[in-house]
Amino acid sequence: MAAGLCLSRAATGLGARVSACSVLAIAAAKLQPAVGAKGGPLKPEITIIYIAVSAIFFNSGLSLKTEELTSALMHVKLHLFVQIFTLVFFPTAIWLFLQLLSITPINEWLLKGLQTVGCMPPPVSSAVILTKAVGGNEAAAIFNSAFGSFLGIVITPLLLLLFLGSSSSVPFTSIFSQLFMTVVVPLIIGQIVRRYIKDWLERKKPPFGAISSCVLLMIIYTTFCDTFANPNIDLDKFSLIIVVFIIFSIQLSFMFVTFLFSTRNNSGFTPADTVAIIFCSTHKSLTLGIPMLKIVFAGYEHLSLISVPLLIYHPAQILLGSLLVPTIKSWMISRQKALKLTRQPKAPVKV
């Protein structure tokens, strides 16, 4: 229990640090937007879109322990459930929900941002940390986080173009060629390099999370520099507050849905599997999502507004997950005990 609480606090601390630094990056962008805007001294059209994005995915390739996933590979039913829920049910349900919200006065670009959240793949860390904190099926969480990240490289851009249209200034073929060069190639190179320096990585344990976070903050900073440099963009507080409420509601609702489906009598999932399913199916990746948005929606003047819901969703999922760790852990232990009792053979009755 103590180890679980420590991991829960670590997850909360991670989310808090990323959130606080994101706020500082946005504040810095507000003070001097010209520095990080397109054409400014930082040249984000080169340094961010190519160098920073490639660095994030090279780092991901270097850190992903794909060689440890073989033990979880055979649990096909669980993997199918998580990936279908994450990349099919989630974005479709959000799209249907947004059809109702489109008649409200909520900022349309924030609503588009909610759709982008639905299209994102699972993260490579938070779902695993929280699953481990509870004591769930960590191997399944690692597999689905890693596999979902790989799937997301291809499926997420397709979903974004399907649900939001391909009206960006970057042609469809150009988007995928750029994604291939800045996402797929660095990821593969990272995995190849990892094979040769695996022992050194295990020994030294480089701060992969900190490196990705720093690069991510640069992307967030330049994205908002473009926003503040554009006088035509305005964000009302009412829309922002409503979107925060919607995000927390979506997370809680989908966690409940995954819980219901994975605990049915004929589901075939253990309580430990359910824990992995709850976190992996409902968590979305900020580290992979922001760079993808930067590529797919390059040229959009409202890119930063589209990014806002994902920037909110990331810390919200870690905060909610951390708060629910004790409750989910208690449920899992009691459920495991109950199942163990039902499987014990009954003692013969003496006549």
Side-chain angles (χ1 to χ4, degrees):
M1 179 69 82
L5 287 173
C6 286
L7 282 166
S8 173
R9 285 169 188 153
T12 309
L14 174 68
R17 284 195 297 273
V18 172
S19 303
C21 291
S22 297
V23 171
L24 288 174
I26 294 168
K30 177 70 173 174
L31 290 173
Q32 287 291 336
V35 174
K38 190 175 181 180
L42 288 182
K43 300 292 181 188
E45 60 272 23
I46 297 170
T47 58
I48 298 299
I49 289 180
Y50 292 99
I51 299 172
V53 173
S54 297
I56 278 185
F57 286 95
F58 173 75
N59 190 52
S60 294
L62 207 57
S63 62
L64 280 173
K65 299 180 181 180
T66 48
E67 67 275 6
E68 295 182 1
L69 306 180
T70 50
S71 61
L73 188 61
M74 301 311 293
H75 206 333
V76 177
K77 187 177 180 180
L78 188 152
H79 307 326
L80 280 174
F81 182 97
V82 171
Q83 300 306 326
I84 290 172
F85 190 95
T86 305
L87 297 170
V88 179
F89 177 82
F90 202 127
T92 305
I94 294 294
W95 181 81
L96 291 171
F97 182 50
L98 292 181
Q99 302 312 300
L100 298 174
L101 292 180
S102 62
I103 60 174
T104 67
I106 301 171
N107 186 292
E108 66 169 311
W109 297 104
L110 288 181
L111 293 181
K112 289 180 186 292
L114 284 173
Q115 184 65 67
T116 67
V117 169
C119 298
M120 290 301 146
V124 293
S125 59
S126 62
V128 176
I129 291 170
L130 291 167
T131 299
K132 188 174 182 178
V134 173
N137 190 338
E138 187 185 355
I142 292 170
F143 180 90
N144 281 285
S145 294
F147 185 58
S149 298
F150 283 117
L151 275 182
I153 291 167
V154 176
I155 295 177
T156 292
L158 288 172
L159 289 173
L160 289 170
L161 294 171
L162 173 67
F163 287 107
L164 297 174
S166 56
S167 57
S168 80
S169 60
V170 182
F172 186 86
T173 52
S174 177
I175 288 172
F176 280 93
S177 63
Q178 190 175 343
L179 278 169
F180 182 78
M181 293 306 298
T182 59
V183 175
V184 180
V185 171
L187 198 69
I188 293 172
I189 292 172
Q191 283 283 286
I192 293 170
V193 171
R194 179 180 173 80
R195 284 177 173 268
Y196 293 98
I197 62 170
K198 184 171 70 173
D199 292 337
W200 181 85
L201 291 172
E202 292 297 324
R203 199 167 56 251
K204 296 293 184 180
K205 299 189 183 300
F208 292 117
I211 294 167
S212 288
S213 294
C214 289
V215 179
L216 184 65
L217 287 170
M218 280 301 298
I219 296 174
I220 293 169
Y221 169 71
T222 55
T223 299
F224 278 85
C225 279
D226 276 335
T227 300
F228 297 129
N230 187 342
N232 298 321
I233 293 177
D234 184 37
L235 175 62
D236 61 289
K237 292 178 182 177
F238 167 77
S239 293
L240 190 60
I241 293 168
I242 294 296
V243 164
V244 170
F245 174 77
I246 289 170
I247 284 170
F248 275 93
S249 300
I250 287 172
Q251 285 190 33
L252 284 170
S253 299
F254 282 3
M255 287 177 85
F256 184 64
V257 169
T258 55
F259 176 80
L260 284 180
F261 275 94
S262 62
T263 53
R264 290 180 305 165
N265 291 331
N266 59 346
S267 68
F269 298 127
T270 66
D273 292 338
T274 295
V275 174
I277 287 168
I278 288 171
F279 291 125
C280 292
S281 300
T282 58
H283 280 214
K284 296 292 183 176
S285 178
L286 178 71
T287 308
L288 305 182
I290 292 293
M292 283 188 184
L293 290 179
K294 193 81 175 175
I295 294 169
V296 175
F297 295 107
Y300 261 66
E301 64 175 0
H302 294 93
L303 173 61
S304 61
L305 295 186
I306 292 174
S307 306
V308 165
L310 186 57
L311 290 170
I312 296 169
Y313 195 96
H314 175 75
Q317 70 190 5
I318 296 173
L319 176 63
L320 268 179
S322 300
L323 291 173
L324 289 171
V325 160
T327 304
I328 297 174
K329 188 179 183 71
S330 176
W331 168 82
M332 186 189 74
I333 292 170
S334 62
R335 180 70 174 164
Q336 286 172 332
K337 285 179 180 177
L339 288 171
K340 192 175 180 181
L341 286 172
T342 57
R343 287 170 187 164
Q344 284 180 350
K346 293 181 180 179
V349 179
K350 293 182 179 180
V351 179

